Amino acid sequence: MNSLVMIVVGAALVNNVVLSQFLGICSFLGVSKQMKASLSLGGAVIFVITIASAVASLLYTFVLEPLSLAYLQTIVFILVIAALVQMVEMFLKKNSPAIYKALGIYLPLITTNCAVLGVALTNVQNGYGLAESVLAGFGTAVGFTVAIVLLAGIRGRLDESAVPLPFRGAPLVLLSAALMSIAFMGFGGIS
């Protein structure tokens, strides 16, 4: 039980997919302008990564490995992720058009978000079973959500501050993300 908790904590904080592995930077920087959009994308990413981790683990364990087709894992995982993102997109378009519009192009980009594929591939490389894969996926997605929401909060405060002209916009956002990354390195002692 303790090792399962450490998988979640390690994936969320110690090995944060955005701040230590630098995966998923596009949506991290693009959507973090608004808190509501950041929370919505975080929720979508939690759903997609958690389910994709489970499905990828099952497919790898019961189909790809027994049939000696492990070399197809990347293609199969991308197809699984694309199908899940399409389901999330249809759900949001029907049930929450405002969130769907706020996420814009970044919702379909979850399909090509290297963080989602990276989790599935890392789970296979680590030899995780179904439970470990799901927990690692969930922890990674929570870590992504924490990072994007924190950056959205920081950006909201920075928009209200008097910032020198050369630092406005992208330079200050990248500097903030770098400082967040350094701060998250402090969690390295947990594992």
Side-chain angles (χ1 to χ4, degrees):
M1 182 66 173
N2 193 24
S3 65
L4 295 178
V5 171
M6 289 312 295
I7 287 174
V8 174
V9 171
L13 300 177
V14 178
N15 297 315
N16 187 284
V17 71
V18 176
L19 300 174
S20 72
Q21 297 178 18
F22 306 112
L23 298 174
I25 296 291
C26 177
S27 55
F28 174 68
L29 295 175
V31 176
S32 63
K33 294 175 185 170
Q34 300 173 338
M35 184 64 74
K36 186 175 181 180
S38 296
L39 284 168
S40 300
L41 182 66
V45 167
I46 288 172
F47 175 79
V48 170
I49 289 182
T50 304
I51 302 301
S53 295
V55 173
S57 176
L58 292 171
L59 283 173
Y60 185 81
T61 303
F62 295 112
V63 177
L64 298 177
E65 202 171 34
L67 297 175
S68 299
L69 298 173
Y71 62 90
L72 293 175
Q73 69 186 6
T74 304
I75 294 169
V76 170
F77 294 169
I78 288 172
L79 292 173
V80 166
I81 292 163
L84 288 170
V85 170
Q86 189 63 38
M87 287 175 17
V88 169
E89 189 173 0
M90 290 186 308
F91 175 81
L92 286 177
K93 190 174 186 179
K94 181 179 180 184
N95 295 315
S96 184
I99 292 174
Y100 175 78
K101 187 176 180 181
L103 291 175
I105 188 66
Y106 295 101
L107 184 58
L109 282 178
I110 295 175
T111 302
T112 59
N113 188 332
C114 53
V116 182
L117 179 60
V119 171
L121 294 174
T122 301
N123 289 343
V124 169
Q125 285 177 341
N126 290 338
Y128 288 162
L130 178 62
E132 292 98 348
S133 293
V134 170
L135 289 173
F138 177 75
T140 299
V142 167
F144 176 87
T145 303
V146 166
I148 197 169
V149 167
L150 284 174
L151 186 61
I154 291 169
R155 288 178 80 169
R157 295 292 303 260
L158 290 174
D159 288 344
E160 299 169 359
S161 301
V163 177
L165 186 61
F167 288 106
R168 290 187 190 152
L172 195 55
V173 171
L174 292 174
L175 183 61
S176 299
L179 291 173
M180 285 175 58
S181 180
I182 291 169
F184 269 65
M185 287 175 63
F187 292 117
I190 292 175
S191 60

